[in-house]
Amino acid sequence: MPAHDRILVVDDEREIADLVELYLKNEDYTVYKFYDAKEALECIDSTELDLAILDIMLPGISGLTICQKIREKHTFPIIMLTAKDTETDKITGLTFGADDYITKPFRPLELVARVKAQLRRYKKYSGVHANNDNSVIIHSGLVIDINTHEALLNEKPLSLTPTEFSILRILCENKGNVVSSEQLFHALWGDECFSKSNNTITVHIRNLREKMGDTADSPKYIKTVWGVGYKIEK
């Protein structure tokens, strides 16, 4: 059990925030709970965190703004909570730097499972517990340092979220081979159910391409193999 990982929870609906806190504490996580953005931002500046759970619809400063603030300095996973079950809200959250989203109302045990999956993926793919063997991947101007969680493209740093970094690493480790969206999904989130209608991977790939100056129509790095998945050519 990942004892004592530190999790930020921000939701102005006190019943939801209190319930999430209860379930996370039952899993031995340390929880920093806030009902508004101001105190949460102060916590982010003063506390070392491992994951954040942010409600999008907060009074005053939104959860999306908190997400942006976190991404200015930190790479730990972010899960967005939203009462709006629309693709636009989900895509917006991922574009702002979130790694996953869950729609209200949700089952607390499902949220706990998402938290565990994100922390497992972060520690596995961000280099938190990486060894020094094959810790640097080099490909066509792209340099990925697994230990330091840094990616450079033509000697310029890429500002990637943990999930984007993980996807890029997985694709580079499988150079020349197609990796399906389902394979990426399971590699990042474990045994969660994958639906072909789930566009989480698609959005992350789109964000990756934008940051790399790549395009879907004429890709230099990430190629779409329609109906199959994605690949990076050898």
Side-chain angles (χ1 to χ4, degrees), residues 125-141:
Y125 289 108
S126 71
V128 174
H129 296 301
N131 57 37
N132 291 321
D133 297 330
N134 302 316
S135 61
V136 178
I137 301 171
I138 301 174
H139 172 70
S140 187

Side-chain angles (χ1 to χ4, degrees), residues 78-110:
I78 300 172
I79 299 174
M80 304 301 298
L81 302 180
T82 174
K84 298 180 179 179
D85 189 16
T86 67
E87 290 302 308
T88 301
D89 287 301
K90 295 172 182 177
I91 291 171
T92 300
L94 297 175
T95 302
F96 274 52
D99 298 280
D100 199 4
Y101 56 80
I102 188 165
T103 304
K104 297 178 181 180
F106 57 84
R107 291 175 294 139
L109 289 177
E110 180 185 357

Side-chain angles (χ1 to χ4, degrees), residues 15 40 58 155 214 230:
E15 289 184 2
L58 293 171
E155 301 183 356
D214 218 0
Y230 305 95

Side-chain angles (χ1 to χ4, degrees), residues 8-17 20 32 34-37 40 51-68 70 78-85 89 93 96 98 100-106 111:
L8 174 71
V9 176
V10 189
D11 197 316
D12 64 319
E13 295 184 66
R14 291 174 179 260
E15 289 184 2
I16 292 178
V20 170
Y32 298 87
F34 301 98
Y35 304 123
D36 65 74
L51 183 141
I53 300 171
L54 309 174
D55 183 28
I56 287 182
M57 301 297 289
L58 293 171
I61 302 172
S62 75
L64 294 174
T65 300
I66 299 176
C67 180
Q68 282 184 309
I70 290 173
I78 300 172
I79 299 174
M80 304 301 298
L81 302 180
T82 174
K84 298 180 179 179
D85 189 16
D89 287 301
F96 274 52
D100 199 4
Y101 56 80
I102 188 165
T103 304
K104 297 178 181 180
F106 57 84
L111 178 60

Side-chain angles (χ1 to χ4, degrees), residues 159-175:
S159 179
L160 305 180
T161 68
T163 300
E164 291 165 0
F165 183 91
S166 300
I167 290 174
L168 189 58
R169 173 186 173 178
I170 293 169
L171 292 176
C172 285
E173 288 176 336
N174 291 275
K175 278 186 296 189

Side-chain angles (χ1 to χ4, degrees), residues 13-68:
E13 295 184 66
R14 291 174 179 260
E15 289 184 2
I16 292 178
D18 294 347
L19 185 64
V20 170
E21 178 188 37
L22 176 65
Y23 273 82
L24 292 175
K25 283 188 172 181
N26 283 342
E27 295 292 331
D28 207 20
Y29 294 111
T30 299
V31 179
Y32 298 87
K33 177 186 66 178
F34 301 98
Y35 304 123
D36 65 74
K38 184 176 181 296
E39 292 186 358
L41 289 170
E42 292 173 357
C43 176
I44 293 164
D45 288 336
S46 62
T47 308
E48 186 175 340
L49 299 167
D50 297 291
L51 183 141
I53 300 171
L54 309 174
D55 183 28
I56 287 182
M57 301 297 289
L58 293 171
I61 302 172
S62 75
L64 294 174
T65 300
I66 299 176
C67 180
Q68 282 184 309

